[in-house]
Each structure stands twice: as C-alpha cells, then as structure tokens.
Amino acid sequence: MQLTPNAVRILGSLVEKELTVPDTYPLTINSLVTAANQSTNRFPVMSLTANNVQQAINELKSEYRVVRMLPSGAGNRVDKYRHVLEDRFGLSRPEKAVLAILALRGPQTIAELRARTNRMHDFADNDGLEQVIDRLADPTLQPDLNEPTDAKQSGMLHMASSSGAVLARPEGYVRDWPSALVVRLERQPGQHEPRVMHLLGGPIDAATIAVESAGVSRTAGAGSAQAELVERIDALEALVAHLQADFDALRRELGA
C-alpha cells in the first residue's frame, strides 16, 4: 500500500479506537475528525477537516479495501466506518496494536512501542513485541496461533476470553502478505536505540524518517546535542506512559 498521510492517520485512528474504546466503535466522520486531530498521542499533530477525512475514507475503502462502511439505518443514525485489517491481512490484536501506534506516532523504539501499546495489548516482555515486529516486517512468517485476534470474516474459531469474545486461528491457517508492513530503521547519530517504522505510505528514506521521529528539524551543520536531548525526552515520555498504565491498572484493581 501507498497511503496518503491523511489515510494513514485515519486507519491508525480506527484501529486505536477499536481496541481502546470498543463501545463507541465503529466511528462516524465527526468522530474520526476528533480522533485524527487529537493533540496528544499523535505525531505530527494534524488539523483535518470532515472533507479531508471523507477523502481518506474513500481511499481506504475503494482503492485499498481496508475500511468498510456501515450505512445509516438498521440502528445507525449516520454512516459509520470500521477497518478490516484482520480480515485483509490476518492481523492479530498485538500486530494491530503495533501498527496503530506506528501509524499515529511515527517511528518508535521498542521501549516506546511497549509502553504506548499498553492500552491496546499488554506485551509481557520485549521478546514478544520483537516477534510481532518480525512478522510484520516479513510476509513469509506465519502467525502465532496463540495470539488473540478480532477477525470477523476469516474463518476463525471462537474462544472464550476474559475481555470478551475473541477468535483463534484454526490449525494450518496460512496468511500471505504482498509486502512488509513495517521496517526496522538503522540507528541514527545521536540516537541510543534503533526505531521501527510502518510502511503503509510506501517505501521510506530511513535517515530522514528517523530524524523526523524525534521531532527535530535539523540542518546539516547542527550538532548531536539537540538530538541527544530529544532522545532523552523520548525515553522519559515512554517511561511516564508506562508508569501511567501501571497506575491505571492499580486503580482498577482497587476499584477506584
């Protein structure tokens, strides 16, 4: 796929809201405008109009067949939209979570991904996250049959779950992707860790994207001090996000 930036933002927003606020999913155009233009958990921050969102929806729905419309009527007062990444590519819930964060926030380190996917899927360790990235980066690797999936129309098997009904892939299930969905970027000067980036918009220039991921507009003569500071801020943001997730989980356990 070679999605426009607006379409990438809308697809990421659909996945995020499906996994974090399922009671309000699928989404209307107005809801998508709000989700796409959030000032938090987005990089870069965008200001899409309803017309921009509709154009992106048309691209995702007609050209790439990764979004479907639930027309008004039959309980819906207005048209609503949902993604079908699990049906189109056989993505598991952890794979969708990783792809959504990359689509919404750009290149991420492993630590950032693990902290920021927490509300969508709680990875037990970095190894599990690395395996998901490996599969998203290599179309020939087959899925982990033990991972939960939310597929609706792919011949999956229902199984019980404490978080609601999910589906399991039957034995022998095979998926075939035309190309990688993510790529591992080489570590750039001034960065302590390499990053991972989605390929929903097509091939990328690794060096340029890695610098943009830090939110730095750097000239050729700029030193590494600014990049080092941004890297430290990124690490602190990831740590705060992880601590916030732990705090929220503790509050839920205590019934707060």
Side-chain angles (χ1 to χ4, degrees), residues 94-205:
E95 291 165 346
K96 286 192 301 181
V98 169
L99 199 60
I101 291 298
L102 294 176
L104 293 173
R105 303 193 63 152
Q108 304 282 303
T109 65
I110 295 299
E112 290 167 341
L113 275 172
R114 187 176 173 193
R116 291 166 179 168
T117 55
N118 185 271
R119 293 180 61 211
M120 293 183 264
H121 179 78
D122 188 9
F123 287 96
D125 50 43
N126 286 351
D127 287 343
L129 175 55
E130 293 274 11
Q131 290 171 15
V132 165
I133 293 169
D134 287 342
R135 294 199 302 273
L136 290 172
D138 187 348
T140 66
L141 296 179
Q142 293 309 308
D144 182 345
L145 300 181
N146 295 317
E147 284 184 353
T149 175
D150 306 290
K152 308 292 191 303
Q153 301 172 5
S154 299
M156 303 302 179
L157 303 178
H158 287 273
M159 67 179 183
S161 167
S162 59
S163 60
V166 296
L167 300 152
R169 296 182 177 84
E171 185 177 355
Y173 175 80
V174 175
R175 63 183 180 184
D176 182 20
W177 299 345
S179 61
L181 297 178
V182 307
V183 63
R184 295 177 185 271
L185 305 175
E186 293 184 4
R187 185 173 66 84
Q188 299 300 306
Q191 295 180 347
H192 292 299
E193 300 178 53
R195 285 173 163 79
V196 180
M197 178 57 176
H198 72 80
L199 293 173
L200 296 173
I204 60 173
D205 179 83

Side-chain angles (χ1 to χ4, degrees), residues 74-111:
N76 293 330
R77 290 182 294 176
V78 294
D79 296 341
K80 294 184 177 182
Y81 300 89
R82 70 178 180 92
H83 74 86
V84 289
L85 286 177
E86 56 272 89
D87 299 332
R88 189 87 158 76
F89 297 113
L91 296 187
S92 67
R93 191 179 301 164
E95 291 165 346
K96 286 192 301 181
V98 169
L99 199 60
I101 291 298
L102 294 176
L104 293 173
R105 303 193 63 152
Q108 304 282 303
T109 65
I110 295 299

